[in-house]
Structure formats: C-alpha cells, structure tokens
C-alpha cells in the first residue's frame, strides 16, 4: 500500500482541531486540540506507516507527533533516534506517549532507562524513572529496589514536578508489587507527603503513595478472594 502523503494527514488533523479541547489541554501544558478518540480512529485507519510517522514527527506539531507515535514501528528506531526524539518533546502528552507506546517496546529501552535516569535534565530523568517503574512491575530482577527507595527518599521531595511525579509512581509501584518493601514505601510516602493534597476526583485513587499502595493492594486481595471463591467446588443439589 502506498504511503499516505504527510500534507494530507496534516490537513485532516487541522480539520479535527477543536478550540475547546485545546483550551483544556493548555491548562495541562499541552498544545493540541484534537480529540484523542478521533486521533486513535485516524491512526487505526492509517495503520502502521513508519515513513509517514517519521515525517509527521518532523513537523514538530503535537497532534502530528501523537499520531506518529500510534502508527510507527517502535523497533525501527535506533537508540540515538529515540534519545533525540525524547529530548525534542515539548509537551507532557507527547512525552508520555513516546515513552509508553514507543520506547517501552524498543530493544534499546534498558540502555535508555539507565542513561536517562542519571540525566541532569529533570524531564529526561523522568522518562528514565518511568521505564524503571515498568521494570519494577514486570521485570524486577537485578533491580536494586531498596536502593531505588533510598534515592526516592533523598530526592523526591525537592524534585521538579514531572520528575517528582515519575519518582512517586515508582515508589507506589514498589509498594504495590513487593510486599517485603511495602511498609518502607508507605513510610517514605508518609514522611515526604508528596502529592498528599493533590485534588482527586470522586471515584479516582489519590496519587499520594500510601493511599495508592493500600488501595491497589486491597483491590488485588479482594480480586484474589473472589477468584478463589469462584474456583471452590459447589455442593450439588439434592436429587
């Protein structure tokens, strides 16, 4: 199938622009006005097109870059390409999607995790912590979890917002996934009080680590109990 022309896609994105959505997004530091559901529908129609994704990324337009993330082949990017792409992101949404939808699927993810975590730029470092949180949940082998808690305890309180948020997520993930470190993770959260007063909508879980940890552990425990209950043999009715 022939590649779609970038100009054609940019015109379609322009037609999807909604000033009301842009106004809401700008409050969160993002500069796009396209409904993400419509953006995903466009990506589904375009399917994977790596060359188009590269061209869209080069426009430096946030809507185009979000679309690029959805239609690219994550494993096609070299390590230095991903590094440059991350350092060139200007908004939180593009940053988050790049890390979660592309970098995490890349064979270079671990190398970038190590390098980014130690980067002096707090936004770049936040990407390293996001990748570390992924490993805490899915592949904790060889990670120094206690050492991560040491760093979080020493540095999270005074970290810039996006880095602080990423470190807090890692703290919560350690507490959720690793029972032997749960009390310490909760204790660090209680000591630092990071995001303790964060406004949380009804029905949502607070990002304050002690609350987050305890709520997720409670849900898992209830889910396990329900699964055991469903698996228990039921008495047969009397004939």
């Amino acid at each position: 199938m022939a590649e779609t022309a970038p100009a054609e896609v940019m015109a379609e994105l322009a037609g999807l622009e909604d000033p009301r959505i842009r106004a809401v997004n700008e409050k969160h530091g993002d500069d796009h006005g396209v409904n993400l559901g419509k953006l995903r529908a466009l990506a589904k129609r375009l399917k994977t097109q790596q060359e188009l994704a590269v061209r869209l990324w080069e426009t430096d337009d946030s809507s185009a870059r979000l679309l690029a993330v959805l239609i690219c082949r994550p494993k096609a990017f070299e390590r230095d390409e991903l590094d440059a792409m991350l350092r060139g992101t200007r908004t939180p949404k593009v940053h988050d999607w790049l890390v979660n939808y592309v970098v995490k699927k890349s064979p270079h993810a671990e190398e970038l995790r190590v390098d980014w975590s130690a980067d002096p730029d707090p936004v770049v470092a936040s990407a390293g912590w996001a990748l570390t949180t992924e490993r805490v949940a899915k592949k904790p082998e060889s990670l120094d979890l206690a050492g991560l808690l040491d760093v979080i305890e020493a540095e999270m309180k005074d970290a810039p917002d996006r880095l602080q948020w990423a470190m807090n997520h890692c703290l919560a993930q350690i507490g959720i996934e690793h029972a032997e470190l749960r009390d310490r993770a909760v204790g660090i959260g209680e000591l630092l009080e990071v995001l303790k007063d964060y406004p949380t909508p009804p029905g949502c879980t607070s990002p304050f680590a002690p609350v987050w940890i305890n709520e997720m552990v409670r849900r898992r425990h209830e889910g396990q109990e329900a699964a055991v209950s469903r698996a228990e043999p039921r008495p047969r009715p009397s004939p």
Side-chain angles (χ1 to χ4, degrees):
M1 185 177 68
E3 288 275 349
T4 307
E8 178 184 338
V9 177
M10 294 300 294
E12 187 161 357
L13 287 173
L16 294 174
E17 178 75 17
D18 186 329
R20 294 169 298 177
I21 293 176
R22 177 175 287 274
V24 172
N25 288 335
E26 285 178 345
K27 294 179 180 179
H28 303 287
D30 290 307
D31 60 355
H32 67 91
V34 176
N35 176 282
L36 295 182
K38 294 181 179 179
L39 190 76
R40 291 181 185 278
L42 175 56
K44 185 176 181 180
R45 194 177 82 238
L46 290 172
K47 299 184 172 60
T48 301
Q49 296 192 49
Q50 177 65 12
E51 181 59 31
L52 176 60
V54 171
R55 299 282 298 279
L56 290 174
W57 187 271
E58 291 172 348
T59 66
D60 198 31
D61 176 85
S62 289
S63 295
R65 285 188 163 186
L66 291 171
L67 181 60
V69 164
L70 296 177
I71 66 170
C72 75
R73 289 194 300 272
K75 295 180 180 179
F77 293 106
E78 297 295 333
R79 182 251 182 232
D80 289 347
E81 287 181 290
L82 292 173
D83 183 68
M85 290 166 71
L86 183 91
R87 293 177 189 278
T89 58
R90 297 176 292 99
T91 63
K93 182 65 72 176
V94 174
H95 174 102
D96 290 345
W97 279 28
L98 178 65
V99 172
N100 286 294
Y101 297 159
V102 181
V103 181
K104 285 182 179 180
K105 300 177 182 179
S106 165
H108 309 292
E110 179 60 15
E111 181 184 355
L112 289 169
R113 181 189 74 82
V114 173
D115 290 348
W116 288 345
S117 295
D119 199 277
D121 183 330
V123 176
V124 175
S126 72
W129 278 93
L131 294 173
T132 298
T133 301
E134 176 87 351
R135 277 207 54 191
V136 166
K138 296 184 177 180
K139 194 178 179 183
E141 298 81 7
S142 80
L143 277 182
D144 180 5
L145 298 176
L148 288 173
L149 291 178
D150 289 341
V151 175
I152 291 169
E153 184 172 12
E155 300 179 9
M156 183 173 73
K157 181 76 171 180
D158 298 318
D161 287 350
R162 286 170 70 178
L163 177 56
Q164 184 184 75
W165 188 276
M167 295 176 80
N168 184 70
H169 190 178
C170 189
L171 172 65
Q173 202 70 54
I174 291 173
I176 293 165
E177 301 290 344
H178 301 278
E180 73 281 6
L181 295 171
R182 187 167 297 146
D183 287 346
R184 187 179 174 208
V186 170
I188 290 172
E190 291 174 341
L191 173 68
L192 301 182
E193 297 188 334
V194 168
L195 300 176
K196 182 177 182 179
D197 299 321
Y198 189 85
T200 305
C204 296
T205 302
S206 168
F208 179 46
V211 174
W212 190 354
I213 292 167
N214 289 326
E215 175 62 16
M216 294 307 297
V217 171
R218 181 191 67 79
R219 291 182 189 180
R220 288 188 179 184
H221 182 68
E222 289 183 352
Q224 290 168 355
E225 286 187 336
V228 169
S229 177
R230 289 194 297 270
E232 288 176 349
R234 298 289 192 272
R236 292 179 174 229
S238 300

